[in-house]
């Protein structure tokens, strides 16, 4: 921080006559310091931005500064202080945004302060902001981080009943919180290779979570289907999500091949990536998982010679395999 101070002072001097740019500079500093949990740097940038916000006549500057400070306080695990700031802003007729409410809700959730989280959620809805998939996933992730699986079941049912769509992140948040599934995936040679097998081997709460997920439309959104190609895209899925989606996909393939209402694609592709974004570059855990499942299921899919991040097979060959 001491070494950076001359650079910060120089930048502030150059931007002094350009209020918006100066505000954005402080916003970026707050974002950086809060993500690195630098208390000294955050406090200094926060104080400077708050002073600028108080003296500014620009609604844009006030709005942008408030969002940045609330987000930073929440990142620093200070949701009560963030709520206090939101109350201050109401006094100058600056209403809290959906972003600010989400930030506070998630911060309370991360800290395990669920009554405060629910209170803030209720206030958000009173202020006219509807619960959406993003906020729902934040709440799921919060319950999961504290091993509150029964709360996750109730929450999934609530958002499903409310018509809020599940997403890949919903799968990731839920399945990353299931300890039995996480342990199973350490040994891919013995992991269950059908949904009935999986649910049979899971404790009750984890089994109920899986059942809530497979009733959603996430698989349908991950599939492209036409006469030329049937494609399953696993990008964005963590290992547990890719595993469950693969089990669902196998059942969905069987159903589509048998019902006579779907065209049989010339080629079927599973896109799992080649590991460019993995912890160890070039080693895709999802690809390893899919390969092991293909082998254990005796599925006729093979690695695509033109794209090593994909598994491919002829549609008619997969239809014959599934009987």
């Amino acid at each position: 921080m001491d070494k950076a101070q001359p650079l910060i002072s120089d930048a502030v001097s150059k931007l002094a006559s350009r209020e918006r740019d100066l505000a954005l500079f402080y916003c970026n500093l707050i974002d950086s310091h809060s993500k690195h949990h630098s208390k000294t740097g955050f406090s200094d940038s926060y104080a400077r931005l708050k002073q600028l916000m108080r003296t500014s006549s620009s609604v844009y500057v006030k709005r942008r500064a408030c969002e940045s400070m609330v987000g930073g306080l929440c990142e620093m695990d200070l949701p009560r202080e963030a709520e206090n700031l939101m109350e201050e802003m109401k006094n100058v007729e600056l209403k809290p945004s959906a972003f600010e409410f989400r930030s506070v809700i998630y911060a309370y959730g991360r800290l395990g302060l669920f009554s405060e989280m629910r209170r803030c959620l209720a206030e958000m809805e009173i202020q006219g902001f509807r619960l959406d998939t993003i906020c729902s996933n934040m709440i799921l992730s919060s319950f999961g981080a504290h091993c509150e699986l029964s709360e996750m079941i109730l929450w999934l049912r609530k958002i499903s009943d409310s018509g809020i769509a599940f997403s890949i992140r919903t799968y990731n948040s839920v399945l990353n919180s299931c300890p039995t599934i996480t342990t199973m995936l350490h040994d891919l040679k013995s992991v269950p290779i059908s949904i009935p097998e999986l649910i049979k081997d899971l404790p009750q709460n984890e089994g109920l979570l899986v059942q809530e997920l497979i009733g959603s439309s996430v698989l349908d959104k991950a599939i492209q289907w036409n006469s030329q190609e049937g494609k399953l895209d696993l990008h964005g899925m963590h290992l547990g999500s890719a595993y469950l989606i693969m089990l669902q996909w196998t059942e969905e393939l069987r159903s589509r091949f048998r019902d006579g209402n779907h065209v049989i694609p010339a080629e079927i592709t599973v896109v799992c990536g080649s590991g460019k974004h993995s912890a160890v570059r070039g080693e895709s855990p999802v690809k390893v998982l899919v390969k092991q499942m293909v082998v254990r299921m005796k599925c006729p899919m093979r690695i695509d010679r033109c794209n090593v991040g994909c598994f491919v097979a002829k549609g008619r060959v997969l239809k014959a395999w599934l009987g």
Side-chain angles (χ1 to χ4, degrees), residues 226-241:
N226 55 56
S227 61
Q228 296 300 310
E229 183 181 42
K231 181 188 291 185
L232 173 66
D233 191 346
L234 301 177
H235 277 116
M237 298 184 194
H238 296 176
L239 200 61
S241 301

Side-chain angles (χ1 to χ4, degrees), residues 30 34 42 46 67-85 107 110:
I30 283 177
S34 62
F42 175 80
Y46 181 92
E67 286 188 352
S68 177
M69 290 190 292
V70 168
L73 287 168
C74 291
E75 192 71 33
M76 295 290 287
D77 294 333
L78 298 169
R80 287 193 177 88
E81 287 80 352
E83 271 199 285
N84 291 338
L85 179 61
R110 285 199 319 269

Side-chain angles (χ1 to χ4, degrees), residues 112-127:
L113 301 172
F114 297 131
S115 61
E116 298 299 308
M117 179 184 77
R118 290 189 175 96
R119 176 186 56 74
C120 196
L121 175 61
E123 178 63 22
M124 181 183 80
E125 293 179 318
I126 289 170
Q127 293 298 322

Side-chain angles (χ1 to χ4, degrees), residues 20-189:
R20 281 195 177 197
D21 291 338
L22 181 58
L24 290 174
F25 176 69
Y26 285 138
C27 288
N28 289 333
L29 282 179
I30 283 177
D31 183 58
S32 177
H33 288 312
S34 62
K35 285 180 177 175
H36 290 89
H37 279 252
S38 171
K39 293 182 180 180
T40 303
F42 175 80
S43 296
D44 180 67
S45 301
Y46 181 92
R48 289 170 182 260
L49 183 57
K50 192 169 187 180
Q51 179 60 31
L52 179 62
M53 181 181 69
R54 283 174 172 166
T55 59
S56 175
S57 60
S58 167
V59 174
Y60 171 84
V61 169
K62 290 180 182 294
R63 173 78 274 160
R64 187 68 185 84
C66 186
E67 286 188 352
S68 177
M69 290 190 292
V70 168
L73 287 168
C74 291
E75 192 71 33
M76 295 290 287
D77 294 333
L78 298 169
R80 287 193 177 88
E81 287 80 352
E83 271 199 285
N84 291 338
L85 179 61
M86 289 163 66
E87 284 298 318
E88 285 182 40
M89 292 304 97
K90 287 181 184 178
N91 295 332
V92 293
E93 298 184 352
L94 200 63
K95 293 182 179 180
S97 66
F99 168 80
E100 289 159 354
F101 274 115
R102 284 178 191 156
S103 297
V104 174
I105 288 166
Y106 190 37
Y108 277 131
R110 285 199 319 269
L111 294 171
L113 301 172
F114 297 131
S115 61
E116 298 299 308
M117 179 184 77
R118 290 189 175 96
R119 176 186 56 74
C120 196
L121 175 61
E123 178 63 22
M124 181 183 80
E125 293 179 318
I126 289 170
Q127 293 298 322
F129 297 105
R130 296 183 64 182
L131 181 66
D132 59 11
T133 302
I134 295 171
C135 191
S136 296
N137 287 342
M138 289 177 168
I139 292 170
L140 269 176
S141 178
S142 299
F143 285 139
H146 294 274
C147 302
E148 296 285 350
L149 300 192
S150 58
E151 292 287 353
M152 295 182 82
I153 294 166
L154 295 174
W155 185 252
L156 283 174
R157 290 172 179 169
K158 174 183 170 63
I159 60 177
S160 179
D161 291 343
S162 300
I164 297 169
F166 290 7
S167 67
I168 290 171
R169 287 194 174 189
T170 309
Y171 266 62
N172 289 342
S173 295
V174 171
L175 295 169
N176 288 347
S177 305
C178 292
T180 308
I181 293 177
T182 301
T183 301
M184 284 178 173
L185 292 172
H186 290 157
D187 182 10
L188 298 179
K189 292 183 179 180

Side-chain angles (χ1 to χ4, degrees), residues 241-298:
S241 301
Y243 167 61
L244 181 56
I245 286 288
M246 280 293 293
L247 295 182
Q248 288 182 252
W249 177 75
T250 304
E251 290 193 354
E252 180 65 16
L253 277 186
R254 183 177 286 109
S255 174
R256 292 192 182 198
F257 286 146
R258 287 180 177 176
D259 67 14
N261 297 323
H262 292 83
V263 65
I264 299 175
E267 189 168 77
I268 303 287
T269 305
V270 175
V271 182
C272 53
S274 56
K276 290 181 181 178
H277 305 292
S278 301
V280 179
R281 187 175 175 83
E283 294 183 16
S284 166
V286 171
K287 180 181 175 181
V288 173
L289 165 72
V290 173
K291 183 178 180 181
Q292 191 60 238
M293 292 181 75
V294 163
V295 170
R296 292 193 54 219
M297 291 177 176
K298 298 181 180 178

